[in-house]
Amino acid sequence: MAPEQLARVFDKFYRADGSNAAVPGLGLGMSIVKNIVEAHGGEIWVESELGMGTQVSFALPMEYREIFSG
């Protein structure tokens, strides 16, 4: 993703690829995920290198890690 795309990735209705060939959707997914993660006390971030790929990561407080791991 280009830096200007990365800056908007969590904006509601933002679509990084607005072309007709893009995967269909409303541009709400990343905004919804961010709200869920933050509602549980976590954080989410995106790292991207143009032409190489994009990685989305998140972290939750320890009490949620114990619930999901066991």
Side-chain angles (χ1 to χ4, degrees), residues 1 4-5 8-30:
M1 299 178 100
E4 58 273 6
Q5 293 172 309
R8 298 192 58 202
V9 74
F10 295 112
D11 291 355
K12 288 181 183 174
F13 303 109
Y14 177 70
R15 303 223 11 193
D17 183 356
S19 72
N20 290 336
V23 175
L26 297 174
L28 291 171
M30 293 299 288

